[in-house]
Amino acid sequence: MIGKEMEIDSVRVESSLWVGNKRFKASLSEWYFSWTEIDKRNREKKTVSVPVSEVIGVKEGREEIQPRKKLEDSDLDFTLFYVKRNRRGNTRGTLWSLGRTQFCCPSRDVRDQWITQLRTALKTHSPSRPHRLLVFINPFGGKKRGKQIYHSLVSPLFELAGISCHVVVTERANQARDYILKKDLTGFEGVICVGGDGMFSELMHGVIGRTQQEAGVSEHNPTVMLQPCDLHIGIIPAGSTDCVCFATVGVNDPVTSALHIIIGDSQPLDVCSVHHKSTLVKYSVSMVGYGFYGDVLAESERHRWMGPLRYDYSGCMVFLCNRNYPGLVQYLPADSHVSSPRDNTRCLAGCRVCSESKERLFPHSDSSSSLYSTNLSQYSSGLEGEWVTIEGKFKCVSLTCMSSSCPRSPTGLSPSAHLADGTVDLILVRETNPLGFLTYLHRHTTTQDQFDLPFVEVHRVRAVRFFLQPGEEEEEEYEEETEIESSFERVLEDPDKLHTGDIANSQSKSTSQQCLAGQERETVKSPRRKKRNFVCGPCCTKPPSVSVWNCDGEILPHTEILCRVHGQLVRLFARGIEDSTGA
Ligand SMILES: CCCCCCCCCCCCC/C=C/[C@@H](O)[C@H](COP(=O)(O)O)NC(=O)CCCCC
Ligand SMILES: Nc1ncnc2c1ncn2[C@@H]1O[C@H](COP(=O)(O)OP(=O)(O)O)[C@@H](O)[C@H]1O
Ligand SMILES: [Ca+2]
């Protein structure tokens, strides 16, 4: 007891405090700091409660952050900073900002006690908060505002929360990935990217690669169970699509993301590994897309100078090209009793499907991750089961581990997909007329069901293989073609016996297709595909029967791939989408 001004016992701290000229009764219990207005007749009025887990910092005096300002104060004052939820914009997620209340205490002793008690509560009840972070800024991502966003909006918050940061402004692509793979990371409790999905992908590759190196696990073997990664990744959105941030937080807002990082939120994420023959090509968390999305990316790379608008421009160009691509898709279905891509549910913060999946994904683990490493080989290969085969001509073939919602598409590629259920959604859009495809695309921007169209199918799966169709090969490739045809036929006859790599990379001779931009295309013999993957010509000079894969915004150097999902492989400083609609 400090005079009679403050009561402290083992479960509660209480005293009178003033906010402006109003008197409040303030109390701190194990989980909440609350203050209740007391009117002139000593009646209790409105109460404000802040969970201790959402307190960002406590400062002596009267302070303002953003812009930083020291106000006139006395040694009776302290300022509390905490998470404040704002009304949502036009998205489902909740925008967070920094709430601030300045309190005046009856004496200096009481002020010092409040500061001590609040800081102790923070330490005791928020053990998962990071204290030291490694930050990578891509100065060229999105609208090239990464450095400004970090220094003006994010760094003051980290400082307030007592987080020390080592900041690397990248000078080349893959610098962040290589840093994480090779440098000493002792003392860092997380890595943060300031940039878009490409930058996030770099950090994720670094974190997964480093974790596998340390655990002695081969990333190339698609049947192996990868070691789950402890080092958390945070995303400060400053890119073009920012899909991973949007789909895991619900909004693309640097302050909201910084606050999730500060309070140490933790969201597991499924990751797809993409293999070609016996080599790992890439990991993906958002979209692995062939056909339309591959072409949009290839076209957009030539217009990077447009910034985020390059995707809209390229989207229109590619749509007008009106392409369809032959292929053979095989998939391993996921357990349909758990969930379905058409069950109309949404994966939100605290999702039941995702938390129940943990048990299924790591059946023999307790919460300590070291257990995972002891006996990984005893778990299933992830590629067992009966493969389902679908053959045809497709507008696009897309795979997504999460909804892949983004500002362009607030419900995403697969609105009912889950962030951490160990499954991926396979979406097949078959050849259709341009109006049909436009309807499909347009439904991504509304609440209408994009799967309720006769030429669209969606499957919840564990793994996918994609093969090119044989035929129409260039003459000089006849020997190769014979080989291709025979292995393709083998897939159809007995899919399980064939190793993905058995079908050699094929070359395709064009067929004639009608381009919506006008002219009937000439039959063009394709250049060698390897070259074409990287040098993608403008809309109507591109050979038409083979597309490229877009893997989280990067073009893959192979067309025939095997994708396999690894449930809850990485962890983000996020909590999933906090639904602000109350639905
Ligand atoms: C008539 C209206 C058409 C609107 C179509 C909307 C379809 C949107 C689906 C978006 C899925 C996005 C999946 C995420 C992809 C990103 O990883 C990737 C790279 O992002 P970044 O590094 O931030 O640049 N972005 C893309 O591939 C862009 C796809 C745009 C498709 C129009
Ligand atoms: N300093 C740099 N110079 C050039 N490329 C970079 C640099 N830093 C990162 N990159 C690469 O830029 C790509 C795009 O970055 P990203 O931040 O995702 O922006 P955007 O969303 O606009 O595509 C990433 O794949 C990343 O590897
Ligand atoms: Ca998933």
Side-chain angles (χ1 to χ4, degrees):
M1 188 95 125
I2 300 173
K4 282 212 163 76
E5 293 165 333
M6 190 166 202
E7 284 180 32
I8 305 178
D9 63 35
S10 55
V11 286
R12 188 175 285 273
V13 182
E14 264 184 24
S15 91
S16 280
L17 293 178
W18 278 262
V19 178
N21 55 7
K22 289 187 177 149
R23 188 163 71 94
F24 287 80
K25 185 176 89 186
S27 77
L28 173 66
S29 64
E30 210 175 346
W31 305 109
Y32 285 93
F33 177 62
S34 319
W35 56 103
T36 306
E37 192 182 337
I38 308 290
D39 71 8
K40 291 200 172 96
R41 293 189 202 155
N42 252 354
R43 286 177 308 196
E44 294 195 355
K45 292 174 80 182
K46 208 176 65 183
T47 298
V48 182
S49 260
V50 174
V52 171
S53 62
E54 294 183 5
V55 170
I56 301 301
V58 191
K59 288 264 179 199
E60 291 172 5
R62 290 170 178 257
E63 282 222 19
E64 273 179 24
I65 312 277
Q66 291 175 339
R68 172 147 236 147
K69 240 196 256 169
K70 185 100 181 100
L71 306 172
E72 207 175 292
D73 59 10
S74 72
D75 55 9
L76 303 180
D77 298 326
F78 74 91
T79 308
L80 181 82
F81 296 94
Y82 49 90
V83 169
K84 185 170 148 200
R85 285 171 177 74
N86 298 343
R87 273 189 327 122
R88 74 188 181 110
N90 55 355
T91 59
R92 190 165 196 142
T94 307
L95 263 178
W96 286 9
S97 64
L98 185 67
R100 186 204 62 202
T101 304
Q102 291 158 348
F103 295 96
C104 182
C105 303
S107 71
R108 187 179 170 158
D109 276 352
V110 171
R111 194 270 308 258
D112 292 346
Q113 271 297 331
W114 269 119
I115 293 175
T116 308
Q117 293 290 338
L118 283 163
R119 286 182 179 159
T120 309
L122 260 186
K123 276 203 188 114
T124 319
H125 299 298
S126 293
S128 54
R129 289 183 183 217
H131 302 95
R132 187 152 166 71
L133 296 171
L134 176 57
V135 178
F136 295 97
I137 304 176
N138 175 2
F140 303 115
K143 295 181 182 156
K144 303 193 170 86
R145 291 181 53 236
K147 279 204 278 185
Q148 191 208 332
I149 287 174
Y150 180 74
H151 291 296
S152 65
L153 298 176
V154 178
S155 168
L157 295 176
F158 285 172
E159 205 181 300
L160 169 66
I163 298 175
S164 77
C165 295
H166 178 68
V167 179
V168 178
V169 179
T170 59
E171 288 170 357
R172 62 170 177 88
N174 290 325
Q175 183 182 342
R177 181 201 62 189
D178 296 345
Y179 191 111
I180 297 170
L181 282 174
K182 292 180 195 143
K183 297 260 171 135
D184 182 11
L185 301 181
T186 315
F188 291 116
E189 288 142 317
V191 288
I192 308 297
C193 66
V194 184
D197 292 334
M199 197 58 189
F200 167 78
S201 171
E202 267 200 39
L203 268 71
M204 176 179 74
H205 279 80
V207 168
I208 299 176
R210 176 88 185 229
T211 309
Q212 307 320 308
Q213 269 171 31
E214 286 173 1
V217 175
S218 162
E219 297 177 86
H220 295 295
N221 179 354
T223 66
V224 90
M225 181 172 171
L226 296 176
Q227 174 79 17
C229 308
D230 289 333
L231 191 67
H232 280 62
I233 308 177
I235 308 172
I236 301 296
S240 299
T241 312
D242 293 325
C243 164
V244 185
C245 177
F246 196 93
T248 54
V249 178
V251 290
N252 278 350
D253 174 57
V255 169
T256 304
S257 292
L259 294 171
H260 280 285
I261 294 169
I262 290 170
I263 68 171
D265 269 344
S266 183
Q267 171 65 51
L269 266 197
D270 296 336
V271 176
C272 243
S273 59
V274 181
H275 304 258
H276 174 72
K277 298 192 177 175
S278 42
T279 313
L280 170 78
V281 186
K282 275 261 163 228
Y283 293 108
S284 156
V285 288
S286 57
M287 178 179 69
V288 186
Y290 183 78
F292 180 75
Y293 293 110
D295 292 353
V296 170
L297 182 68
E299 181 66 14
S300 74
E301 282 301 298
R302 303 176 336 110
H303 308 289
R304 258 207 174 263
W305 58 271
M306 290 184 185
L309 270 181
R310 69 189 184 278
Y311 292 131
D312 303 287
Y313 171 80
S314 309
C316 292
M317 293 292 286
V318 170
F319 175 79
L320 291 174
C321 279
N322 189 29
R323 296 265 161 79
N324 299 290
Y325 295 101
L328 181 127
V329 181
Q330 294 189 316
Y331 67 87
L332 278 178
D335 183 350
S336 58
H337 295 105
V338 180
S339 64
S340 129
R342 300 203 58 190
D343 61 15
N344 248 327
T345 59
R346 293 284 179 275
C347 180
L348 299 171
C351 172
R352 189 186 48 79
V353 171
C354 291
S355 34
E356 286 174 3
S357 298
K358 190 166 180 209
E359 188 54 26
R360 184 171 42 83
L361 293 166
F362 308 112
H364 303 288
S365 75
D366 59 15
S367 52
S368 78
S369 62
S370 59
L371 248 184
Y372 298 133
S373 59
T374 51
N375 232 340
L376 295 180
S377 56
Q378 71 184 331
Y379 303 124
S380 82
S381 79
L383 295 179
E384 293 148 351
E386 208 156 298
W387 291 84
V388 179
T389 300
I390 296 175
E391 196 196 342
K393 273 191 162 187
F394 304 101
K395 280 262 168 227
C396 52
V397 175
S398 317
L399 275 153
T400 183
C401 286
M402 50 165 71
S403 71
S404 282
S405 56
C406 60
R408 262 185 203 84
S409 171
T411 50
L413 276 180
S414 190
S416 295
H418 288 272
L419 293 172
D421 65 339
T423 74
V424 56
D425 286 355
L426 167 67
I427 304 150
L428 300 171
V429 182
R430 289 178 185 272
E431 179 170 23
T432 182
N433 60 58
L435 187 61
F437 190 50
L438 188 63
T439 308
Y440 168 73
L441 289 178
H442 183 253
R443 287 191 182 180
H444 287 76
T445 65
T446 68
T447 48
Q448 266 187 300
D449 182 359
Q450 66 255 45
F451 303 136
D452 188 19
L453 291 165
F455 52 88
V456 180
E457 53 189 285
V458 58
H459 306 277
R460 189 148 286 176
V461 308
R462 292 182 285 128
V464 173
R465 307 197 278 221
F466 181 82
F467 303 99
L468 286 168
Q469 275 195 328
E472 299 194 332
E473 260 57 56
E474 283 183 297
E475 276 162 29
E476 60 268 38
E477 304 287 82
Y478 266 128
E479 264 181 39
E480 202 178 329
E481 183 186 335
T482 316
E483 160 71 17
I484 294 158
E485 265 176 348
S486 57
S487 39
F488 187 84
E489 276 154 17
R490 287 209 308 277
V491 186
L492 291 173
E493 278 162 19
D494 191 353
D496 281 335
K497 285 218 176 94
L498 188 78
H499 184 269
T500 338
D502 284 3
I503 295 189
N505 266 349
S506 65
Q507 308 296 306
S508 302
K509 198 169 69 180
S510 69
T511 50
S512 175
Q513 287 196 49
Q514 181 70 44
C515 165
L516 295 183
Q519 63 288 49
E520 178 80 12
R521 285 178 45 86
E522 249 177 69
T523 298
V524 187
K525 287 199 174 181
S526 67
R528 293 197 74 84
R529 216 182 69 249
K530 263 199 171 154
K531 257 196 204 158
R532 194 160 58 73
N533 277 342
F534 298 105
V535 190
C536 183
C539 164
C540 290
T541 60
K542 208 174 138 249
S545 57
V546 182
S547 177
V548 289
W549 285 99
N550 171 345
C551 177
D552 289 2
E554 258 198 64
I555 295 172
L556 295 184
H558 304 285
T559 316
E560 294 191 321
I561 55 170
L562 160 72
C563 302
R564 180 243 161 133
V565 66
H566 300 265
Q568 308 196 357
L569 185 62
V570 294
R571 286 191 167 263
L572 299 193
F573 286 119
R575 60 169 60 172
I577 296 174
E578 267 194 341
D579 192 2
S580 59
T581 63

